[in-house]
Amino acid sequence: MSERASSPVGTAEPASGASPTATPTPTASPTERPGRGAALVHRLVVVRELGILAALLLLVVATVVANPRFLSGQNIRDLLISASILTVLAAGQTVVIITRNVDLSVGSTLGLSAYATGTLLVNGTPVPLAVLAGVAVGALCGLLNGVIVAVAKVPSLVVTLGTLYAIRGLDSLWASQSGRLQINAADLPSGFKAIAGARVLGVPVLFLVAVAVVVLVGHHLRSYRSGRELYGIGSDPDAARLSGIPVGRRVLAAFVVSGALAGLAGVMYAARFQTLDATAGTGQELFVVAAAVVGGVAIFGGSGSVYGAALGALLLTTIGAALPQLGLNPFWREAAVGALILAAIVLDRSLSLRLARRLRGRNLRGS
Amino acid sequence: MTSFLSRRRLQGGVTGLAVAALVLTTAACGGTTRGEEETTSNGGGAAASADPDAEIPADLAVGFLPKQVNNPYFSVASAGAEAATGEFQGQYTETGPSEASASSQVSYINTLSQQGTDVILTSANDPNAICSALDQARSAGSSVVTFDSDTDPECRDVFINQATTEGIAQTQVDLIAEQTGGQGQVAILSATANATNQNTWIAAMEEYAAAEYPDLEFVATVYGDDEDEKSFQETQGLLQTYPDLAGIISPTTVGIAAAARYLSGSEFKGQVALTGLGTPNQMREYVQDGTVQSFALWNPEELGYLAAYAGAALAAGQITGAEGETFEAGELGQFTVEADGVVVLGDPTVFTAENIDDFDF
Amino acid sequence: MAVDTTPATPAGQAPAQRPRTASRLRLLGSGDAVITGVLVLFLVVAALTVEGFASARNTGFLLLDVVVIVLIALPLTLVIVTGEIDLSVASTVGLSSAVMGQLWFSGLPLETVIPLCLLLGAMLGAVNGFFVTRLGLPSLAVTIGTLALYRGLAFVVLGDRAVADFPRSWTTWAISGIGGTGIPVVVVPLLFLVLLTGVVLHATPIGRSLYAMGNSEDAARFSGIDVGRTKFWLFVVTGVVSALGGIYWTLRYGSARADNAQGLELQVIAAILLGGVSIFGGRGGLLGVLAGALLLGSVRNALQLENVPADVLNIVTGGLLVVAVVAPQVAARVRSRTRARPAGPPSAPPARPAPDAHPSTDPAAQVPADQRGNR
């Protein structure tokens, strides 16, 4: 919200009868001006991601010094599996945040989709069908959010706060009404349970799924017109609308993607934990948004990459696993996450200020 | 000029708020420190004498308030309480919060009290947070029975203990000693760190093991918060931190199931012993695949059943919660109230591959 | 909506904006009236149909459940009106509760512990304020960070322990009723704070400057308001009041724990938004917030008395929140369509951005300016 001050159009331009169509296009928007400015922005994003990677390496090295077993095969696999669910959620969240929106309902969506998948499996639905159904349930939740946000034009923070409650309530109502409060490992088909332990060349399949999601989403955001338009919307919705981008449709699509990925995360959750009740994924929204922000996705849209968010998710997960190894009380985890978010946004701010200075040097027609 | 003006006014407002805050909080008189607490009178309980032959009145309203709704363990206990209520022809309601936090039960106790419930059966998320609400309910005429997890004894009439602390602690330590050969490192995977029952059991286990199995070394206690995912991760963390771990005791149903699932899918299956308190339905798979040899639990259905009968006995005046009083609990037979208003259900049942299929809860 | 700020600034300094008189209307807040009406209607229906709802005793229970929510909603409303947000309030409650428990446990008298906790709250609020106003960071991101940080620190301070041996005289005071009525004693100081906040927000230049900031920070700055300083102090006040909430919470439940009030920020924000305050600032009133908090509390209370399960309560809470924000938007669009038709084709509202200095942070801001001013 105070971000407005730095958003190009929000700066001191009293609305002195300027014709709406003459609204200047934002100088720093990647879609509108793919010149050297965009190259600079891109370099900044890369630098930012290398920074997280460095922090991650530093953390791993410190932990390995404290406990060499931290790099054992089993432990790395456990870590990658733990990170994959958060990574998939963070990828979806990134798509939404880039459009200057937020989806707080992902934890509840994950829970509903996990329970739906579990219920279908218990009733004998074939595994591929149940997996698709789980993703579809998530996509439906996303559609609900998207419709309210894009069509009714209501702030996403409020809408998804509401659906956070409502979807969770639906989930537990379903669990209590069906009389199946908990789905246990014994109830699930072995074909589904095998997913959790399955590996390709020693790499857990769940992690490969997460990598595939990140690459797909990342590629789309970077190389497709509809992906680039999301950045334009996030940089300045009005300008985006004026330049002919179908803002409502894009935002709706972003929410559906986020919901579908939360649904996929729910399926992955079901495969990994195999004990499902109505509380699955409670409170995840905090860590998901944290992963994106730590990964350099600006909370008010327009910049950031899904790769950064994935690295953020990996970093947060590693912190959780590393603290006990470093002899620190696990209670420090949440505090560390908080401190990391603050550090990340301070860093982003100073980087973008520097960028703005350099852009101003090149391009005198600034605001 | 304007900015100065509004700033001064704003600071005036701030000062006003701060003063009001101080007034609000220091309304009581000065110099209160810890330990100089006056002894307090009992909240609500009647001092009337018991009449063991009193009839249980018809249409007794019984309210069941678990730590959290949709928890399978409590839903089994609830079925027992409902069955008992049916036997003495009472009105049964189950209610409760969707999250197991210290304060979330309070408004549900208030609601039960407001509805004129005669008997409140509850398992406390925090031993003190619901105390004042229970006191108010008792002064409004409700009898309060706690089960599974007790409150401060002052705030309830009777506590139904699933088994004695010693019984539970000794059974689990004996089971782990049997499986590890009585030596090596043992870790505990508990629920939340301030769950009263968990902490008493853990202390008793360590004490008993020190006396009976000196070669068992308790290396760590970790907390899974009765959340499946957290318990799973804590187990994972334990095995990293203690590569020589011989066994894990998890005295909570969520914890043992999560730990068993982690072990059964890891290289530690069959290498690290696991026992604790679990439900047969959740553990069946792991007993059959060899991850777990044996574990124990009382029957939660009987726990709920006994709690309902104890509540009815209180409401009827058969007992008042004083030591030595006795009452009949349907098909479970006769029970005696022990010191501090505690009623013990009995020793836990041990489940193994041989008998696990006889149970369905 | 920089136009609305004109009354707040001395005549000569107002930026060149078309003067409008809609501000009076906004101050009274017709949104307030709607939500208050809904509350009154609900209370009447509940009193007639829900057994045990309309009694002094139940009113006491109901009020006790909303005291902390209303308390924290007071400063948070001001924060949101300026266009910022503070998500860390519940974590501040938790941290001050944990510190209160730890200090009391170490033997300090409560009369020392309580001011220290309030001071702590001020510091926590100042940290938020510093990041937002001095470093210019978005308050949403900052306070998501401090939400995690403060809650984490609470666990570092008190761990999983609970400190519960607070003096009985204090804990019973926290829930005691006025005379024999069952209406909690704490309602009296709370009402005082409500009045104070209401006066500050609706009847002083400070309040008007808060709306001005929420409508257009730049316009507010041009008209001579020290935006940074005002927001900084608002965050400090929010911290202090949240700490006060933590102290009261601890005494009310007689138990100091690090996880106290976890998730309360959502309930407080839900109450504020239900009360008609715009998440983007510049709009809303305290009466509506009060009604919103009471409505959420009464709906929960009444449904509980009707034995409606907790799952349904969550659905109702979420649904209410969504309806509360969707309904006015829909109404506004219907109104604008019916009004726009006779005027002729050129001004179809969604097609052109509102010609005010308010940068739309979201599609919602596309509602024409005159309608936003009316709510």
Side-chain angles (χ1 to χ4, degrees):
Chain A
M1 306 186 178
S2 66
E3 184 83 345
R4 277 181 202 159
S6 64
S7 104
V9 167
T11 38
E13 252 176 329
S16 49
S19 156
T21 42
T23 311
T25 46
T27 30
S29 164
T31 35
E32 308 300 325
R33 229 173 246 266
R36 305 191 60 174
L40 249 180
V41 173
H42 178 62
R43 215 169 72 205
L44 183 83
V45 169
V46 173
V47 168
R48 183 66 173 64
E49 279 157 20
L50 285 177
I52 314 169
L53 209 57
L56 188 60
L57 279 179
L58 200 71
L59 179 67
V60 171
V61 168
T63 317
V64 170
V65 170
N67 179 4
R69 265 180 68 87
F70 191 68
L71 277 189
S72 74
Q74 175 83 33
N75 188 43
I76 292 182
R77 276 195 298 275
D78 290 339
L79 197 66
L80 293 182
I81 294 180
S82 300
S84 26
I85 296 173
L86 188 60
T87 304
V88 171
L89 289 172
Q93 189 71 246
T94 304
V95 177
V96 171
I97 294 183
I98 282 175
T99 67
R100 201 181 277 194
N101 282 294
V102 70
D103 185 353
L104 294 180
S105 71
V106 288
S108 303
T109 305
L110 182 154
L112 185 65
S113 142
Y115 189 80
T117 311
T119 306
L120 286 175
L121 288 169
V122 170
N123 293 333
T125 313
V127 174
L129 215 58
V131 169
L132 284 179
V135 177
V137 165
L140 272 179
C141 295
L143 186 67
L144 175 71
N145 286 327
V147 165
I148 304 178
V149 171
V151 178
K153 301 204 191 314
V154 173
S156 56
L157 185 75
V158 188
V159 172
T160 57
L161 181 59
T163 50
L164 176 152
Y165 282 114
I167 297 175
R168 176 69 61 195
L170 207 63
D171 188 10
S172 53
L173 189 66
W174 184 6
S176 63
Q177 293 301 309
S178 69
R180 192 188 292 283
L181 294 178
Q182 192 169 49
I183 296 169
N184 297 313
D187 307 330
L188 296 173
S190 52
F192 183 72
K193 284 186 285 189
I195 298 174
R199 298 175 203 163
V200 174
L201 301 174
V203 184
V205 165
L206 287 180
F207 181 67
L208 292 176
V209 171
V211 170
V213 164
V214 170
V215 170
L216 274 176
V217 175
H219 181 68
H220 188 95
L221 284 181
R222 192 156 161 62
S223 310
Y224 283 79
R225 185 188 169 82
S226 54
R228 303 305 305 162
E229 285 175 355
L230 294 182
Y231 287 95
I233 296 169
S235 297
D236 187 330
D238 294 339
R241 196 169 283 112
L242 287 171
S243 58
I245 297 174
V247 173
R249 230 167 56 215
R250 293 279 178 269
V251 169
L252 178 66
F255 273 99
V256 173
V257 167
S258 168
L261 289 181
L264 178 63
V267 175
M268 293 164 74
Y269 183 100
R272 181 184 179 216
F273 293 106
Q274 294 170 20
T275 300
L276 303 170
D277 56 26
T279 65
T282 308
Q284 277 296 305
E285 57 281 349
L286 172 64
F287 289 101
V288 177
V289 175
V293 170
V294 168
V297 180
I299 197 89
F300 280 102
S303 84
S305 85
V306 71
Y307 306 108
L311 284 174
L314 194 60
L315 181 60
L316 292 192
T317 314
T318 312
I319 289 179
L323 285 180
Q325 311 296 323
L326 292 169
L328 280 170
N329 189 317
F331 294 140
W332 279 98
R333 180 182 177 203
E334 207 168 350
V337 169
L340 209 57
I341 296 175
L342 291 178
I345 53 176
V346 169
L347 178 70
D348 283 341
R349 179 68 175 173
S350 64
L351 286 178
S352 75
L353 281 180
R354 191 174 306 168
L355 176 77
R357 262 201 302 276
R358 290 180 69 173
L359 281 174
R360 206 169 298 142
R362 277 153 204 264
N363 180 353
L364 288 172
R365 194 246 163 269
S367 38
Chain B
M1 217 40 219
T2 355
S3 95
F4 173 67
L5 191 73
S6 64
R7 189 197 313 159
R8 206 174 59 186
R9 297 236 184 148
L10 185 72
Q11 280 168 347
V14 170
T15 322
L17 273 177
V19 168
L22 283 171
V23 168
L24 176 66
T25 50
T26 50
C29 46
T32 327
T33 49
R34 195 166 169 264
E36 61 183 36
E37 167 77 298
E38 66 278 25
T39 46
T40 50
S41 63
N42 200 328
S49 58
D51 169 17
D53 300 322
E55 286 285 312
I56 296 177
D59 281 340
L60 215 53
V62 178
F64 183 90
L65 175 62
K67 287 184 179 178
Q68 179 183 19
V69 290
N70 295 347
N71 174 322
Y73 171 85
F74 286 109
S75 80
V76 174
S78 172
E82 189 167 9
T85 308
E87 284 173 21
F88 55 73
Q89 272 134 31
Q91 304 289 323
Y92 184 80
T93 32
E94 184 188 349
T95 182
S98 51
E99 79 283 358
S101 73
S103 51
S104 58
Q105 286 177 310
V106 168
S107 75
Y108 285 91
I109 293 168
N110 290 343
T111 301
L112 284 174
S113 170
Q114 183 65 16
Q115 288 171 330
T117 308
D118 300 302
V119 177
I120 296 177
L121 313 174
T122 188
S123 172
N125 280 319
D126 179 285
N128 297 287
I130 61 171
C131 251
S132 55
L134 286 180
D135 277 345
Q136 286 181 335
R138 287 167 77 202
S139 28
S142 304
S143 303
V144 174
V145 178
T146 54
F147 65 93
D148 182 74
S149 197
D150 199 6
T151 61
D152 190 319
E154 263 183 35
C155 326
R156 45 79 178 156
D157 296 300
V158 164
F159 169 54
I160 309 295
N161 203 347
Q162 41 272 63
T164 57
T165 302
E166 291 70 32
I168 291 173
Q170 290 174 13
T171 309
Q172 294 182 80
V173 173
D174 286 340
L175 289 176
I176 203 80
E178 193 184 311
Q179 295 175 29
T180 59
Q183 57 184 350
Q185 293 182 337
V186 173
I188 293 168
L189 171 64
S190 174
T192 55
N194 41 15
T196 338
N197 50 0
Q198 295 279 325
N199 292 340
T200 349
W201 297 337
I202 292 169
M205 282 195 274
E206 289 175 349
E207 194 179 314
Y208 176 70
E212 294 293 318
Y213 305 102
D215 292 336
L216 279 184
E217 184 197 353
F218 283 78
V219 288
T221 301
V222 293
Y223 301 96
D225 290 351
D226 264 352
E227 281 169 28
D228 186 75
E229 180 174 353
K230 180 132 194 278
S231 309
F232 187 89
Q233 282 160 354
E234 290 294 343
T235 313
Q236 185 178 309
L238 272 179
L239 290 162
Q240 272 163 39
T241 321
Y242 304 99
D244 299 326
L245 202 66
I248 299 173
I249 301 177
S250 182
T252 157
T253 55
V254 178
I256 191 174
R261 198 177 66 257
Y262 176 77
L263 288 180
S264 79
S266 77
E267 59 191 74
F268 307 107
K269 177 179 174 179
Q271 306 296 309
V272 176
L274 173 65
T275 193
L277 306 176
T279 70
N281 284 355
Q282 270 184 300
M283 298 299 292
R284 189 162 287 122
E285 181 179 11
Y286 308 112
V287 170
Q288 282 160 358
D289 78 3
T291 308
V292 173
Q293 288 180 23
S294 57
F295 64 96
L297 193 67
W298 53 92
N299 189 336
E301 195 164 357
E302 290 177 359
L303 189 64
Y305 185 89
L306 175 57
Y309 264 103
L314 282 166
Q318 294 170 0
I319 57 172
T320 61
E323 190 173 357
E325 295 166 348
T326 60
F327 65 99
E328 290 289 332
E331 58 192 34
L332 289 179
Q334 197 180 53
F335 287 83
T336 307
V337 181
E338 295 175 10
D340 279 339
V342 175
V343 177
V344 178
L345 176 64
D347 268 341
T349 314
V350 172
F351 304 98
T352 61
E354 279 75 49
N355 71 352
I356 193 165
D357 286 333
D358 303 337
F359 297 90
D360 183 20
F361 66 86
Chain C
M1 290 302 290
V3 280
D4 284 348
T5 68
T6 25
T9 57
Q13 291 191 8
Q17 300 283 346
R18 285 167 295 141
R20 190 111 43 90
T21 44
S23 62
R24 290 290 142 206
L25 244 168
R26 191 212 52 220
L27 286 184
L28 289 172
S30 60
D32 283 11
V34 173
I35 189 72
T36 312
V38 172
L39 172 68
V40 171
L41 190 70
F42 180 82
L43 289 179
V44 170
V45 171
L48 292 176
T49 58
V50 178
E51 194 186 332
F53 182 81
S55 72
R57 189 156 177 270
N58 191 54
T59 310
F61 290 150
L62 198 164
L63 288 175
L64 276 178
D65 281 347
V66 296
V67 161
V68 178
I69 293 177
V70 170
L71 178 68
I72 298 175
L74 298 178
L76 194 55
T77 301
L78 305 197
V79 169
I80 294 182
V81 160
T82 67
E84 303 292 341
I85 197 160
D86 186 349
L87 294 176
S88 70
V89 285
S91 297
T92 304
V93 170
L95 181 51
S96 56
S97 173
V99 167
M100 180 178 173
Q102 187 60 41
L103 292 179
W104 167 253
F105 188 75
S106 67
L108 285 179
L110 269 184
E111 288 76 2
T112 314
V113 170
I114 288 174
L116 283 177
C117 284
L118 293 176
L119 194 65
L120 172 77
M123 278 162 52
L124 298 179
V127 169
N128 285 331
F130 174 78
F131 276 105
V132 173
T133 62
R134 294 298 134 91
L135 302 187
L137 298 170
S139 53
L140 181 64
V142 168
T143 56
I144 283 180
T146 50
L147 177 149
L149 179 66
Y150 297 165
R151 182 67 69 184
L153 290 177
F155 276 103
V156 170
V157 168
L158 202 57
D160 294 331
R161 288 181 298 130
V163 174
D165 54 352
F166 294 100
R168 201 49 95 96
S169 52
W170 288 63
T171 54
T172 36
W173 173 81
I175 57 163
S176 59
I178 303 167
T181 57
I183 307 299
V185 174
V186 284
V187 165
V188 176
L190 181 66
L191 269 181
F192 173 70
L193 290 179
V194 170
L195 283 178
L196 185 69
T197 316
V199 167
V200 168
L201 183 63
H202 294 296
T204 66
I206 304 167
R208 282 192 290 275
S209 73
L210 300 184
Y211 283 107
M213 279 179 238
N215 283 316
S216 167
E217 195 170 309
D218 297 302
R221 200 170 280 129
F222 278 127
S223 61
I225 296 168
D226 191 340
V227 173
R229 199 182 184 91
T230 311
K231 285 187 176 175
F232 177 83
W233 281 104
L234 274 183
F235 278 104
V236 172
V237 171
T238 308
V240 172
V241 174
S242 301
L244 182 61
I247 293 160
Y248 176 69
W249 187 287
T250 309
L251 291 176
R252 195 223 148 164
Y253 293 108
S255 190
R257 299 165 53 117
D259 65 352
N260 269 349
Q262 194 142 24
L264 191 78
E265 70 277 353
L266 299 187
Q267 291 183 49
V268 177
I269 291 172
I272 293 174
L273 299 180
L274 192 62
V277 175
S278 162
I279 191 79
F280 297 115
R283 184 154 63 71
L286 204 64
L287 184 64
V289 170
L290 207 58
L294 285 173
L295 181 64
L296 277 182
S298 332
V299 167
R300 284 201 156 250
N301 179 289
L303 293 185
Q304 275 183 26
L305 280 170
E306 287 290 297
N307 289 324
V308 172
D311 322 323
V312 180
L313 292 183
N314 283 337
I315 299 179
V316 170
T317 307
L320 264 181
L321 187 53
V322 173
V323 168
V325 287
V326 170
Q329 294 286 350
V330 172
R333 274 210 267 172
V334 169
R335 234 180 299 150
S336 77
R337 204 156 292 165
T338 48
R339 205 184 307 166
R341 204 158 290 146
S347 61
R352 52 179 268 265
D356 62 5
H358 188 303
S360 4
T361 38
D362 154 293
Q366 277 308 303
V367 181
D370 45 19
Q371 266 129 46
R372 277 198 283 125
N374 281 344
R375 264 195 312 279

